[in-house]
Each structure stands twice: as C-alpha cells, then as structure tokens.
Amino acid sequence: MYSHGSESLIKQAREIQEPELQKFYSRLVKLLQGKELSHETIDSLQRLHLILSATKYTRTLPSELQKRLSSLLSSPSEQLQVLSSAVLRETLPLSGQERNYNQDNTSQLNSHAAALLLSQAGSRADLSSLCAQLLRSLESRPSEGPSHSLTHMLPILNTILTHSPECLTEDHMTLLSKKLVDWLRYASITQGGGASSGGFFTGPRSRQPVPIAELDGTVSGDFFTVLCVGQGFTEDQWMNVFSFSMLRHWLLTYHSVSNGNTAADTDDRSEVDGSVVSMVSATSSTSRLLPPKERLREKAFQYCQRLIEQSDRKAHKRTDTELQRACLVEAVCILDCLCIEDASLVFRAFPCIKALFGRLSSDLSFARVLLPLAQFYLNHGEMAAVDCECVWNLVFGRFPADLFNDPFLAHELLRFLRVNLESLQLRVPQYTCSFPNLLKLLAWDSPAVVDDFVDLLPSLVTAGTAVELLHTLLDLPCLSATLVLQLRSASLPICEPGGRGLLSLDAFRNPSYRGLFLFLLRGEAGSGDTIDRLSTLHELLAEAVDWPRVIQCTQTVPVLLHIFFNKVITVADEKLLAHLILVQLERSSLLLNIPNYIKEIHRVFSCHLLRLCKLHPSLVVDQSHELLEFAGTTANVYSKEEIYTHVVWVLGEYLSVSCDSRCSVRLITSCFEAMEAVLFEITSSAPPPGASSPAPRVITTLMSALAKLASRSHDLIPRVSMFLSKLRKVARGGSVAWCTDEEDLVAIVTRGEELWSLLKAPGVAQSVLTPPPHVTTPQWHQDTNVAMPLGLRALTSLTHSQ
Amino acid sequence: MVRCFLIHTVCPLSAVAPGESRVLYSRVFGPDEGVQFAQQRELSPEERRLLQKEKVAVVARQVCSAVSLSREASGRLLVETVPGEEALALQEADSGVVRLRAGDPFSEEMSVLWLGVQSLGFALVCESHENLLLAEGTLRNLTRHCLEHLHMLGQGSEVLLKSNRIDVLLSRLLPCGQLLFLNHRFAQSLEKEVAAYMAK
C-alpha cells in the first residue's frame, strides 16, 4: 500500500530547492490567470499542496499567488474551492489581510471557504465575528435556496461552541433555539424533491406528496427524525439531521445545571438539585407558551423518545441497524442531560428508559448501548427510587467477564468508571469487590487500557481486599493466558487434541484442574486470597510464557504494583502491612516463570519492603521469624538476590531495642547466627552449578548487617572480627571461587576492614552504624537544642554574668 | 466533535526511524486549540502550525504503536489484498481505541479510534464524550471510500496526489469534524455527490 513512489514523492516535496520552487510559483500564477479550468491547473495546485503540507515548517507564498488563491475560494468550480482552501490552510494568512468576516456576501460563503476561515481564526474575537456573520445570514436569507447551503453552518457553529461558547449572545441563543425546534420537530413529513409517486398513490400523473417512511418500510406516522427515509430530502429534513447531530453538544454547553459557567461540566453529575422543578415542563401541551430554551428542551425530549421507539423496528439495511444503535446511545445521553437540567423530567423519562433496559439487557450485543443506560441509572436512579442492582450486575459482572476482548467496550466501560468514580464508590458497594472481573480487561489488552487502570487502581485498594488484590495482580499474566485459553477452547472442537503444542489447552479442559482456572476467572473478590496449588497452575501454563499477549501483560504489572503499594500504606494498619510483607516473601518464589518478569517483581518488592519497614520499623521485630527464615536460606542468595539483600538490610537496621522494645538479645543472636552461617557458606565455596557468583553488594550488606547486630550485642563482636580477618587472609591469597572480579574482591575486603576497625571501638560503632534519627534527619533550625538564637542567648547570659 | 482525521503508515519503514510514522494525510478541524488559551495566543502563526503538525505526529506514533502491539498480541497473519478487494480489506482490518490524556498532546482528553488496514492506519481523534459508536461507523465508511476512490490497495500514490478527494469526502461525511447521523438514504445522497466529484 505504501510504496517507494510515495516515499520519494514526500522526499521530493520536502527537499525542493528555492529556485525551483519560485519557478513553480510563477508558472502557477500564469496558469491561474487563464480563464479555463485546465487539468494542468488542478494538477499543479495539488502539487503545491503536497509541497506545502509535506513539511512541518511553513513556507510563505508570494503575495500575488496568495491573492489569486484567495479569489479562487469563491470560484464556481468546487475543485478550485477545495484546492485553494487546502493550500491556504497550509500557509500563513497574508499579514494585513482583512478577514472576510465583515463582508456582506458571507451568505454566499461556501462550505470550504467557511471552514478555512474557521481554521485560521486566531482569537476569540475572530470566532465571535464569524459566528455573528453566520447567524446574520441565517436570519436574513429566504427559506428556499440551494440545498446544503445552510447545512455547513451548524457544524461551524458547533465548533465555535467547543472553543469559545461565550461567542453566542443571548439573542443568538434564542434565535438558534427557535430554529432548532423548527428543524427538529417541524420538518416536512413528505419526501423531498424527486420523489416519485409510486407505491402509495396510483397513476403516473399523480403529483401528490409521498409521506416519509420508517426504516422497516412502513409509512411514518409521526414527525421526521434521522431514522426516517425517503427518495429525496427537503432542505429542512437535512437541517433536521444536522440539528440532531449537534443537539447533545448544544445542550451540554448551554443547558448545564450550573448555568453560570459556559464550559460543560460533565463530571459534576452526582449533584442533582432536586428542588429545581420547572413547573411549565410538566405537561407538553402547554409547550407553545414556553420560552425558547425550555421549548427546545421539551422538543428534544420528544425527539429522543421517538428515536427510542423507532429503534425497535427491524431495519432492512445493516448500516441502518448500526445507526439505530448509535441513535439509542445518543438519545439516552440527551435524556440524561435533560434530566440533569430539569429533575422533573426524570419521572417522564424513566418508564421509557426502564423499558429499553428490559428490552436490551439480555442481549450482550447491545452492551455499548447499555452503558449510557447505566449512566442514566447512576445519575437518576436514586431519585426515582429504582433498584439498580441488575444494572450493576451487568456492568461489573457480565460485561468484563464476557466482553473483555471488545476494545471499544473496554474503553467505554473504563471511561464510565473513571468519570463516575466518586459516585460509584458511594452508591455501588460491589465496585471494590469487582476487581477480578475488571482486571480481565487489563489482562487481555494491557497496552490499550493500562493508562485507565493507573487512574482506577487506587480506588480498588481497600483494607478488606488488599491481600487478594495483590495476589491477583501478581497472577495477571496467568489470567491473561487463561483468557486466551478460554477463547481458544470455545472456538476449537472439544475432541480435537491441543495437538499443535497446546498442552495448556488440554489442561484447561481437564476437569481435575478446573478449580484452578475457575478461581482465576472468578468475577468477585471475597472467596479467598489465592489458591494452594499455584505452582501447579504455573507449570500448566509454562508454554504461555512466550505468548505476546502474556508478555505485554507482564510489562504492566510492576507499574500497577507500585501504585498498589503507594495506596495501601494509606489505608492499611500494621497488621495488614505485616501480612503484605509475608505475601511478598512467599510470592517471590511463586511467580510465572518468566525471568524478566520475576526480576522486575523482585525489584518492586524490594523497594516497597524497604519503605514499609522504614515507616513501621517495629514490623521487623514483629515478623522476625519469617524474615530470619528467609535470610537464613542460602539458596535465596542466588535465586532472589535483590530481595535477599533488602531483607538482610532491614534486619540489620531495624532489629534493635530502639525500634521495638520486644527485641531481645536472644533474637539478635539468633539472627546473627543465621546470617553468619550464610555468609560463611557463600564465601567458602563456588556458587552452585547454574548460578552466578553473588554480587559484592550482597556480601557487603551481610557484613554490614552482622556488624550492626554485633554493635548492639557486644558479645558478638569477636565472631565478626574473626570472620573479617579470615576474609582478609583468604583474599590476600589471590583469586577466590566465589568472586570472579578482582576489583569487587578488593571492595569487599576494604569494607570488611572498615567494619573491623569500627568494631574495635564498640561504643562508637553503634552510633556510627545505626545513627539515631535525630542525627540522620537534622532539623538544625527547628531543633531547640541547636537553634541559633538559643545558643546566642546562652552565650550572652554566660558572658554577662549578672 | 472530531478534532482530526489522519492517514499514516503503520509498518516499519526503512526510510524512517522505528516507531516513527509517515503521515500521508492529515486534517485538523476547527481553529487551533490555542485560541482559548491566553499563553498560546502569543505564538506566531508559524509556531502554531508547527505545533499542530507535531501534535498530529504524536497521534500517528501512538496509533502506530497501538496497531503493532495489537497485531502482535492477536498473532493474526496479515492478509494481502489487491485492488478490488476493499470490502475484504476493511473486514480484516484491526481496530481499537487509544486514550490520550489531557495535555498529551491535546489540551483535553481525547479518544483516538483507529483502523489498521495492512500497512496504513486511519485514525479519528474524537473528544472523549463523543458518541463512539457513531464515530466508529463513520471511520469505517471514510476508510472504505478512501480505499476505493484513491485505489489505496495498489502501489499508487494517489493519497498524496489526489488529497483534494479526501477533502471533499470529509466535507460531506464529516463537515468541520461534525459526526452525522446518516441513514442509508442520506448517506447515498452524499455519496452520489462525492462520486460525481471524483469523476472529474
């Protein structure tokens, strides 16, 4: 599709030299002077556009050329209009060129020229003038005219609303509200020009108007909407389409509850002022007496109700069926908008909404329509005292469980959660327990939705579910593999063996392993933190470790773990934090066997283990049994170096009486002995086959930890000294089996010597190795003992002895 | 509303750095975002245009990486289609949506819907609250028309040399970035106008 030809065209366009370019410009000017529209002119204009748009640096055209192009904007040939506006869009407007906003003939502004003016608007003032011009032409023009001549105006107005809603004055808004009402509710109900009179009226001469039809072919019995068809369309029917297309945006901009600010505040939906009851909107028969804004509201309401009814018809064409769904989404959103503005409409709207929900809720293919319905229930369900449980069961239950592989639904569902987070946390208690289901969206398509989960995950971390959530996050790659297997299992026939290397598929279908997979695929939290046979599960999924989907998933888990830990320290008590430490130690060896993944997880664990212990040093004494067990296992040095190093460090640092009064001499001694044994072992022999030599950091950390412990229990000092002197002797003998790099060995030995000399002065050793907090976090100016003024005062009183 | 429509490459190209994408067509609707913001109004028109081009390039890169990750994960083999098989190419296309956070690169949050048709990507940058069902249908329709009218399944460069056709297509089906609720009759009427233009 993308050929070398295209590539070289772009290169040529970028690298065209100035003299050649100038020649091209003058040739083009000459061509444009001619009266006929030649093929060469079109071609040259097109090439000019390519030259200008191929580079991000702007080229300025000679003013003669630019003036000619500007005049082409109003050419009768559409090709010239398109090309000239395209070219002018890629250049700068001539300095001093007056914008055509105040010309009288803006009513003849074609759509391309108008779009160009819009894109060149440099300030709010420009937009205001353009807006005023368009609306002036709307007021003044006669109602007949060439088709589509008004239609381009509404999109431009809609754009102006996006960027600068205050451009419209009160009068403008009133005028447009009236026009919108006319177009939406009172468009012709007969078919437009060119409608043949066949079908309903016999006789070739019959010129009677033919009524519009519904999408299923029946004659339409009510006002015209976007879901009505005819052979041809009248101007106001076109305006009906354009009006509905911009209706929601109009309502959001000008009809929001907090009418003072013009920016649509779509997030602020949870607060509905129940006391705002518009008395006039109670009945529709009095609508003719309503002010324009309220009248538009009423007509919009009727339009949406009609669309909902029309969407139940069976359309003949597939594109129309899709349009019906899009219309349902739009209609429900607009109703939601209207009900926020006027709470009394809720009672009129709910029967219709409920009926629609009942009609669609059993059909998952309507999932994307059901989300706006859920939004409606969330915003207004409480007020209407409607039970919303079935809605939430769908949104948090069936959608993520069955439709996790629909990227559009995933995006919209997660956006729904993000936008309504506060409201959901208040009103939907099952939200925080639904993470096993929600995480399926992440497990399936991590790159696309990880950004959403970065925002949502903190809200899912609660004290009650934290441990289960941690386990679930660690097993996300397993979930990813399981979802792949689930889909494959559904599509491959049962009897076909997973021949092409899919042992995992056989395992998935095997009844004796069912429980493992069912646990991963569970929908709600609360049935257990994790399963006993995790290692079995990991083995069964061994061939999934190089599936791209699984690998993409593993790359997102570390980030989410960081977010998890950052949040959990704010909601957890010490007991829970202790439990989390244990989970970290336990799971460090229970992960799906992907080396990069394991390494990254260990790194995250190390970081947060450190943080937790820094925040709550007493945790170390509290969990000393498990930490000691971990630190005393030599195998951990080789398989979990990162975590091991940190465990040893926290033991050395925080296993002291000053951190926790329960710390006894016996505890310190047993810890010392466990670590001493490991240190001896790793520095006396070569690493086991398959493992690399321990990093110098592990050894020095062990040595430092032993020294710190010894400084607190002086009987241990001789043992440390003995080890360190032995180490020096061994190192002097040349290379050793456990350390391959000579520089590393020197560093280790140097550290050993430093520690040895420090321990010769036991009293000092403790404060050097474990400085008390007021030394490590000095607050000189805040500390009353060292504050300058106090010091000066003391000196003064000493020198002035009376 | 739609802020931007673009067509760009999604395959690794020898001419550009890996991960970079060549933008073949881009159309940003409406005035520059900076119109609302005081400090951006201090930028000169050249700087504004440069900024706009950079933003489009960012979108292209994001979509490019989303397409390649999606294709990698699904493991589906790319089916080569030839001119005449536009409907098949569209059916086989990968699709998805990327969320762009506020500020990165547009000032508000945006949703980018994308279609990956072999080595090219078609992307629609929509405001986040937009009706994505309608946007998806519009994107598919636009893509089908582009593939057909510009013979994009072949080796030609019409997408570069006949970009005015895309402009006209957009002016009918997505005027100023406005998504339209078009039933098959309205769509037919507009498509007839487009076809008449293309025939010139």
Side-chain angles (χ1 to χ4, degrees):
Chain A
M1 288 175 90
Y2 183 68
S3 61
H4 290 301
S6 302
E7 181 66 20
S8 71
L9 269 174
I10 294 182
K11 267 213 164 66
Q12 276 176 42
R14 284 184 180 179
E15 293 164 7
I16 187 167
Q17 295 301 312
E18 198 56 34
E20 198 185 328
L21 191 55
Q22 292 300 330
K23 257 197 286 184
F24 180 64
Y25 287 157
S26 21
R27 208 175 75 234
L28 188 53
V29 171
K30 275 205 202 72
L31 277 172
L32 292 175
Q33 277 166 342
K35 284 298 167 199
E36 344 75 53
L37 169 62
S38 75
H39 216 63
E40 204 191 336
T41 317
I42 301 294
D43 218 36
S44 307
L45 280 172
Q46 186 67 78
R47 278 182 192 271
L48 176 60
H49 177 256
L50 180 58
I51 291 170
L52 293 175
S53 63
T55 166
K56 60 187 181 185
Y57 301 108
T58 322
R59 299 186 202 267
T60 37
L61 298 177
S63 57
E64 166 82 40
L65 181 56
Q66 196 146 359
K67 284 208 193 79
R68 292 220 173 258
L69 289 169
S70 301
S71 65
L72 282 181
L73 284 173
S74 40
S75 154
S77 149
E78 189 176 6
Q79 263 185 320
L80 288 176
Q81 290 171 12
V82 175
L83 282 164
S84 54
S85 59
V87 168
L88 288 172
R89 200 178 296 120
E90 295 290 336
T91 63
L92 314 170
L94 275 176
S95 56
Q97 175 192 44
E98 313 95 55
R99 300 280 159 77
N100 299 336
Y101 298 118
N102 296 314
Q103 272 183 279
D104 290 321
N105 58 349
T106 27
S107 53
Q108 291 155 31
L109 206 56
N110 60 63
S111 62
H112 304 286
L116 176 66
L117 276 179
L118 183 62
S119 63
Q120 284 183 329
S123 64
R124 278 190 176 145
D126 288 341
L127 289 178
S128 290
S129 328
L130 179 58
C131 182
Q133 271 307 305
L134 288 173
L135 287 168
R136 240 197 304 270
S137 69
L138 171 63
E139 272 179 305
S140 61
R141 74 186 296 283
S143 44
E144 311 90 42
S147 64
H148 311 332
S149 51
L150 262 187
T151 52
H152 69 256
M153 186 190 2
L154 286 184
I156 296 183
L157 275 170
N158 202 8
T159 310
I160 295 178
L161 290 191
T162 311
H163 292 270
S164 175
E166 64 287 337
C167 280
L168 265 71
T169 64
E170 277 292 321
D171 292 336
H172 289 157
M173 276 163 45
T174 307
L175 169 67
L176 263 175
S177 297
K178 287 195 187 134
K179 284 285 181 186
L180 287 172
V181 165
D182 280 340
W183 288 323
L184 287 171
R185 183 61 183 79
Y186 301 110
S188 319
I189 50 171
T190 53
Q191 299 192 15
S196 67
S197 47
F200 302 106
F201 300 89
T202 53
R205 302 271 194 98
S206 174
R207 280 265 166 259
Q208 283 191 309
V210 181
I212 47 168
E214 298 291 336
L215 290 176
D216 57 3
T218 56
V219 176
S220 189
D222 209 340
F223 58 89
F224 184 88
T225 71
V226 295
L227 293 178
C228 293
V229 288
Q231 290 288 343
F233 295 107
T234 60
E235 166 93 5
D236 56 2
Q237 286 167 346
W238 278 103
M239 295 312 288
N240 183 296
V241 172
F242 277 80
S243 304
F244 179 68
S245 300
M246 71 173 275
L247 182 60
R248 175 154 65 123
H249 194 207
W250 175 268
L251 293 172
L252 280 175
T253 311
Y254 293 120
H255 287 226
S256 49
V257 174
S258 44
N259 253 324
N261 54 326
T262 45
D265 201 328
T266 49
D267 290 337
D268 194 9
R269 289 187 175 191
S270 46
E271 317 286 46
V272 175
D273 187 356
S275 64
V276 173
V277 175
S278 172
M279 290 193 291
V280 289
S281 66
T283 58
S284 48
S285 56
T286 54
S287 63
R288 213 169 291 272
L289 309 169
L290 291 172
K293 192 170 166 191
E294 279 71 16
R295 202 151 170 253
L296 177 58
R297 198 195 300 155
E298 177 59 33
K299 300 304 173 190
F301 191 93
Q302 291 172 5
Y303 197 103
C304 292
Q305 282 192 310
R306 174 140 158 75
L307 282 182
I308 292 177
E309 173 262 315
Q310 283 177 302
S311 301
D312 204 10
R313 294 166 181 271
K314 188 129 177 48
H316 290 324
K317 304 243 174 198
R318 190 181 52 92
T319 49
D320 286 339
T321 312
E322 287 167 9
L323 183 68
Q324 283 175 318
R325 286 190 195 187
C327 284
L328 277 175
V329 170
E330 193 77 0
V332 173
C333 289
I334 292 178
L335 285 175
D336 185 30
C337 206
L338 295 172
C339 288
I340 290 177
E341 190 192 343
D342 179 0
S344 71
L345 290 173
V346 173
F347 299 101
R348 274 174 70 191
F350 236 116
C352 169
I353 295 282
K354 250 173 95 168
L356 185 60
F357 182 79
R359 210 171 89 203
L360 303 179
S361 56
S362 50
D363 186 350
L364 279 184
S365 64
F366 281 97
R368 287 172 72 185
V369 179
L370 288 162
L371 275 178
L373 281 170
Q375 180 76 67
F376 191 95
Y377 272 90
L378 184 64
N379 289 343
H380 310 289
E382 211 171 275
M383 184 199 208
V386 171
D387 178 28
C388 306
E389 204 185 302
C390 44
V391 178
W392 305 130
N393 288 345
L394 261 187
V395 171
F396 293 108
R398 292 200 68 198
F399 285 178
D402 297 336
L403 300 172
F404 53 83
N405 56 343
D406 178 347
F408 295 98
L409 179 70
H411 175 88
E412 290 181 330
L413 176 60
L414 292 171
R415 185 172 176 271
F416 171 76
L417 296 181
R418 275 187 296 118
V419 166
N420 295 294
L421 198 54
E422 269 177 47
S423 192
L424 286 170
Q425 284 177 303
L426 265 176
R427 304 205 182 136
V428 185
Q430 76 203 82
Y431 168 65
T432 45
C433 294
S434 61
F435 62 79
N437 254 348
L438 293 175
L439 285 172
K440 287 177 188 167
L441 300 173
L442 180 65
W444 181 259
D445 194 356
S446 321
V449 302
V450 62
D451 210 31
D452 290 317
F453 275 93
V454 163
D455 291 338
L456 288 172
L457 190 63
S459 63
L460 292 168
V461 179
T462 65
T465 54
V467 176
E468 192 181 339
L469 179 56
L470 178 55
H471 281 292
T472 312
L473 286 173
L474 292 171
D475 282 323
L476 220 50
C478 298
L479 179 58
S480 181
T482 306
L483 293 174
V484 173
L485 291 172
Q486 187 182 41
L487 284 182
R488 265 194 215 161
S489 176
S491 59
L492 286 179
I494 292 284
C495 41
E496 184 183 307
R500 287 164 292 142
L502 283 182
L503 296 166
S504 47
L505 187 57
D506 290 336
F508 182 76
R509 287 169 167 171
N510 188 332
S512 47
Y513 299 130
R514 203 87 197 101
L516 300 176
F517 293 105
L518 279 178
F519 179 77
L520 280 182
L521 292 172
R522 73 200 185 285
E524 270 180 356
S527 54
D529 292 335
T530 185
I531 43 181
D532 290 332
R533 299 193 288 160
L534 253 186
S535 46
T536 315
L537 180 69
H538 293 162
E539 275 167 48
L540 294 173
L541 293 174
E543 68 184 0
V545 300
D546 52 10
W547 295 351
R549 207 174 282 284
V550 174
I551 295 181
Q552 284 175 8
C553 184
T554 61
Q555 290 163 351
T556 57
V557 175
V559 166
L560 295 173
L561 283 179
H562 279 300
I563 295 176
F564 169 83
F565 279 111
N566 287 343
K567 179 71 200 293
V568 88
I569 53 180
T570 64
V571 300
D573 58 3
E574 248 189 63
K575 192 156 156 253
L576 178 57
L577 292 177
H579 195 168
L580 289 174
I581 291 182
L582 293 182
V583 170
Q584 287 178 65
L585 293 179
E586 184 196 326
R587 288 303 303 260
S588 58
S589 52
L590 253 187
L591 294 168
L592 193 59
N593 189 12
I594 305 174
N596 266 345
Y597 179 60
I598 295 177
K599 209 165 85 165
E600 284 300 311
I601 301 296
H602 284 184
R603 202 175 290 170
V604 175
F605 279 174
S606 310
C607 162
H608 290 284
L609 184 72
L610 199 60
R611 245 174 113 204
L612 287 184
C613 293
K614 253 194 192 139
L615 277 173
H616 301 269
S618 54
L619 279 172
V620 178
V621 172
D622 211 41
Q623 301 300 312
S624 54
H625 178 74
E626 281 77 18
L627 289 169
L628 238 79
E629 206 182 304
F630 191 91
T633 312
T634 316
N636 287 343
V637 174
Y638 300 106
S639 63
K640 302 175 207 171
E641 192 179 285
E642 186 80 22
I643 302 186
Y644 186 84
T645 314
H646 284 77
V647 168
V648 164
W649 193 89
V650 301
L651 279 171
E653 187 76 3
Y654 299 117
L655 202 70
S656 78
V657 169
S658 53
C659 291
D660 190 322
S661 51
R662 295 171 292 170
C663 181
S664 61
V665 171
R666 210 172 51 143
L667 185 57
I668 293 183
T669 312
S670 51
C671 180
F672 182 94
E673 284 171 354
M675 296 202 287
E676 186 191 36
V678 174
L679 187 56
F680 271 138
E681 206 182 315
I682 62 176
T683 54
S684 54
S685 55
S692 54
S693 342
R697 197 170 62 131
V698 184
I699 300 177
T700 53
T701 312
L702 270 168
M703 294 194 305
S704 306
L706 290 175
K708 286 176 191 170
L709 291 175
S711 71
R712 291 172 207 146
S713 177
H714 297 182
D715 318 334
L716 301 168
I717 294 183
R719 291 166 76 163
V720 182
S721 311
M722 186 179 70
F723 170 80
L724 292 173
S725 58
K726 219 199 286 189
L727 181 68
R728 216 160 39 139
K729 242 179 271 167
V730 163
R732 250 188 245 139
S735 66
V736 290
W738 47 270
C739 184
T740 44
D741 192 309
E742 208 182 294
E743 278 181 22
D744 289 345
L745 189 58
V746 167
I748 293 172
V749 174
T750 314
R751 170 57 73 94
E753 285 180 351
E754 287 167 7
L755 290 170
W756 189 34
S757 24
L758 203 53
L759 285 174
K760 282 198 211 145
V764 177
Q766 190 173 12
S767 20
V768 171
L769 289 171
T770 326
H774 72 256
V775 172
T776 44
T777 53
Q779 307 174 88
W780 309 119
H781 60 289
Q782 289 173 319
D783 192 328
T784 49
N785 291 327
V786 292
M788 185 71 100
L790 203 62
L792 283 175
R793 245 178 270 149
L795 274 175
T796 320
S797 61
L798 280 174
T799 50
H800 292 67
S801 41
Q802 249 77 32
Chain B
M1 302 212 69
V2 172
R3 287 295 178 92
C4 182
F5 171 70
L6 56 145
I7 305 177
H8 59 97
T9 58
V10 299
C11 272
L13 296 170
S14 48
V16 290
E20 289 290 320
S21 171
R22 192 70 89 198
V23 176
L24 301 175
Y25 177 88
S26 77
R27 174 72 189 273
V28 177
F29 297 104
D32 191 67
E33 286 195 301
V35 156
Q36 323 163 266
F37 304 114
Q39 85 262 53
Q40 268 198 274
R41 251 180 274 157
E42 253 108 70
L43 294 175
S44 70
E46 282 146 319
E47 287 169 329
R48 263 191 255 152
R49 180 172 174 270
L50 179 60
L51 189 58
Q52 202 178 76
K53 290 277 184 191
E54 298 273 344
K55 286 182 188 175
V56 168
V58 167
V59 175
R61 276 201 297 275
Q62 294 268 45
V63 174
C64 195
S65 92
V67 174
S68 55
L69 284 169
S70 169
R71 284 179 175 170
E72 192 186 33
S74 67
R76 271 172 46 200
L77 296 162
L78 273 182
V79 176
E80 278 292 319
T81 48
V82 294
E85 294 180 327
E86 280 83 16
L88 178 63
L90 199 55
Q91 217 179 357
E92 293 288 313
D94 309 283
S95 60
V97 56
V98 173
R99 171 195 171 198
L100 295 178
R101 281 182 181 268
D104 186 19
F106 295 97
S107 52
E108 288 160 10
E109 182 177 318
M110 297 282 159
S111 302
V112 183
L113 279 77
W114 56 262
L115 276 179
V117 182
Q118 288 166 79
S119 59
L120 292 182
F122 296 79
L124 214 57
V125 180
C126 306
E127 289 167 3
S128 57
H129 55 78
E130 190 55 76
N131 186 330
L132 292 185
L133 258 180
L134 184 64
E136 199 190 331
T138 309
L139 177 60
R140 281 189 185 270
N141 207 14
L142 283 174
T143 306
R144 182 175 55 88
H145 282 292
C146 286
L147 290 175
E148 284 170 2
H149 293 294
L150 295 167
H151 311 109
M152 289 176 83
L153 292 177
Q155 288 297 306
S157 311
E158 285 181 44
V159 62
L160 294 171
L161 295 173
K162 297 225 163 97
S163 63
N164 67 91
R165 293 185 172 185
I166 312 182
D167 288 335
V168 168
L169 186 64
L170 290 174
S171 76
R172 296 298 192 277
L173 296 180
L174 195 61
C176 289
Q178 172 78 62
L179 290 167
L180 295 174
F181 289 85
L182 300 169
N183 61 49
H184 76 276
R185 279 276 179 221
F186 279 105
Q188 247 172 36
S189 173
L190 291 173
E191 282 164 10
K192 238 190 276 186
E193 284 181 34
V194 169
Y197 180 91
M198 304 284 185
K200 284 188 207 156

